[in-house]
Amino acid sequence: MSNVHSFQSKDAIREEACLWISRIDRGLSIEEKAEIRKWASTSSAHALELKLAAEFWDETSVLQELSSLFPLQFTESEPKDNYLPPALAIACSVVLIAFVFTFLPFKGSEKQFDEDKKVSSHYVYATSMGENRSFRLPDGSAAHLNTDSELSIDYKPDSRSLQLLRGEVHFDVAHDAKRPFSVEAGALSVTAIGTAFNIELGAEDIELLVTDGRVLVTEQNIEITSTDVESLKAQPINNDNLIISSGEKANLTASRVKSADVETEKVTLAEVQKELAWQQGMLVFQGEQLSVVLEEVRRYNDINFDLADKTLGQIQVAGYFKAGDIEGLINTLESNFDIQHERTEPKRIKLSSANL
């Protein structure tokens, strides 16, 4: 018997179903089709919420895709139920809004970058705790900042220099052969090579996930020119360069970067979706210890957790839920793990076993 405890409330299943429908709407890859079949077959509740979400979305193409994926469960000839639970309507509406805003340019105080003149410009983008937000950068690139993050950009006629000051960000980089797109994080620099990638800046390390193309990782004092970037599209400049490609993840230290010193790992589509679930305001856990889960939850709010018994922190948890939903987390721990809570201070919660 597995010792990994899974929690997934009806609301969480509903949220995930809406996310799947939104992905169907923009088109599924072969890997995603396999993932949705696996998810829907996990339980009848998954299949039901998927069907209800599709009816709410009310797009013929979505229903047709579901009919092809699940010919025995989803048929276009079935009459629609005119009633949808309000919670489902809200959940799908939130997902739709999230996807729309992901691709909208940010309307703020910064000036529009003049691409023809390529004048110099400097902007700072930031999110507060519990907030994630998408920004359209002056060159057309997209930056999606996670909770409590800050990004500084400095654009010049021959370069695009950015600095992640804190937190986490995902980039979808606009092509510009004459201006390299380089991001400083800690003491490292990450240069895009036709790329989409994610950077999380921790206290002692940096996590880098590449979702499209490749990136070059160097120390900050190494200058990368547009000629270097073009040559890297074919092959690395020399053996000291660290190249990370699409579908790979690396945990880096800030002291030095040598390809021989860093281990990269291949990640599956499911793992990429888990890593980037924060973009939709969700957190996904796949067997992490409760202590790790609480540490991650802490990034999205200012609540501190105390464990009455350290062994509670060793419980392995799997699940999918909203970031920042403390009440939902507490209710889940109580109903699934017999863990009770006590609010010892306005911003501090003590967790203990109900069996003691």
Side-chain angles (χ1 to χ4, degrees):
M1 180 179 295
S2 173
N3 62 348
V4 178
H5 300 270
S6 178
F7 65 85
Q8 191 164 41
S9 67
K10 187 175 181 179
D11 286 343
I13 295 173
R14 182 172 294 135
E15 290 278 356
E16 193 165 2
C18 290
L19 286 175
W20 273 119
I21 294 301
S22 67
R23 293 175 186 139
I24 292 174
D25 195 29
R26 53 88 166 145
L28 294 178
S29 66
I30 295 176
E31 293 82 2
E32 286 176 321
K33 288 181 180 180
E35 287 294 329
I36 192 175
R37 287 192 180 100
K38 180 179 178 182
W39 183 81
S41 65
T42 301
S43 75
S44 58
H46 287 192
L48 175 61
E49 292 295 341
L50 194 62
K51 181 177 180 180
L52 291 173
E55 291 177 351
F56 173 80
W57 213 261
D58 198 24
E59 285 286 343
T60 303
S61 59
V62 170
L63 294 172
Q64 288 176 339
E65 180 68 14
L66 281 176
S67 296
S68 67
L69 289 168
F70 309 97
L72 300 181
Q73 295 159 287
F74 299 88
T75 59
E76 295 179 75
S77 59
E78 292 180 0
K80 288 186 180 181
D81 185 348
N82 291 326
Y83 172 76
L84 288 175
L88 174 63
I90 293 172
C92 288
S93 297
V94 169
V95 170
L96 176 60
I97 290 170
F99 270 78
V100 169
F101 274 93
T102 296
F103 297 100
L104 282 180
F106 172 66
K107 302 295 184 181
S109 59
E110 72 269 22
K111 300 174 296 181
Q112 179 63 38
F113 186 77
D114 190 332
E115 183 62 26
D116 293 329
K117 295 181 180 179
K118 290 190 176 180
V119 297
S120 299
S121 54
H122 178 79
Y123 308 123
V124 175
Y125 303 86
T127 54
S128 58
M129 180 175 287
E131 177 188 24
N132 79 76
R133 192 172 182 183
S134 294
F135 299 93
R136 184 66 66 182
L137 303 184
D139 65 327
S141 297
H144 196 147
L145 271 66
N146 199 357
T147 175
D148 192 24
S149 300
E150 185 175 0
L151 176 70
S152 171
I153 72 168
D154 186 14
Y155 281 12
K156 297 179 181 179
D158 60 350
S159 66
R160 293 175 288 173
S161 300
L162 303 88
Q163 184 178 16
L164 180 60
L165 301 172
R166 69 176 190 275
E168 182 174 9
V169 61
H170 183 271
F171 293 104
D172 192 347
V173 181
H175 178 70
D176 187 337
K178 296 181 179 180
R179 293 186 301 165
F181 186 99
S182 298
V183 183
E184 295 180 358
L188 307 183
S189 178
V190 178
T191 301
I193 310 172
T195 313
F197 60 99
N198 195 83
I199 303 178
E200 180 179 351
L201 178 60
E204 298 181 355
D205 60 0
I206 298 166
E207 182 180 284
L208 178 60
L209 170 67
V210 180
T211 56
D212 185 44
R214 297 190 298 169
V215 300
L216 168 67
V217 183
T218 64
E219 297 177 9
Q220 283 189 22
N221 58 355
I222 298 178
E223 181 180 359
I224 302 298
T225 66
S226 58
T227 303
D228 295 332
V229 172
E230 289 302 309
S231 67
L232 281 169
K233 291 181 179 180
Q235 61 184 5
I237 300 173
N238 58 59
N239 293 332
D240 288 337
N241 293 324
L242 174 60
I243 301 291
I244 301 176
S245 301
S246 177
E248 293 182 342
K249 181 174 74 171
N251 287 295
L252 311 164
T253 59
S255 58
R256 56 180 294 181
V257 181
K258 296 288 184 180
S259 58
D261 298 336
V262 179
E263 292 186 5
T264 61
E265 60 176 297
K266 293 285 186 180
V267 290
T268 65
L269 175 62
E271 290 170 330
V272 171
Q273 292 175 341
K274 170 183 178 293
E275 292 282 346
L276 301 183
W278 60 264
Q279 294 184 6
Q280 311 307 327
M282 307 300 291
L283 297 177
V284 181
F285 299 105
Q286 297 175 324
E288 287 89 342
Q289 292 188 346
L290 179 58
S291 59
V292 175
V293 171
L294 295 178
E295 182 179 352
E296 180 66 12
V297 169
R298 177 67 179 81
R299 293 178 60 197
Y300 297 85
N301 58 77
D302 54 357
I303 298 293
N304 292 291
F305 291 93
D306 297 316
L307 299 179
D309 184 349
K310 291 184 178 180
T311 59
L312 291 178
Q314 299 173 6
I315 294 175
Q316 291 178 286
V317 175
Y320 183 101
F321 65 98
K322 281 187 176 181
D325 184 10
I326 298 299
E327 293 303 319
L329 173 63
I330 289 174
N331 291 337
T332 299
L333 293 177
E334 290 181 344
S335 60
N336 290 277
F337 305 107
D338 290 328
I339 295 177
Q340 61 186 11
H341 79 283
E342 177 187 0
R343 196 174 286 272
T344 56
E345 298 177 13
K347 297 294 185 179
R348 186 171 292 275
I349 296 175
K350 181 179 180 180
L351 301 178
S352 59
S353 175
N355 298 322
L356 296 180

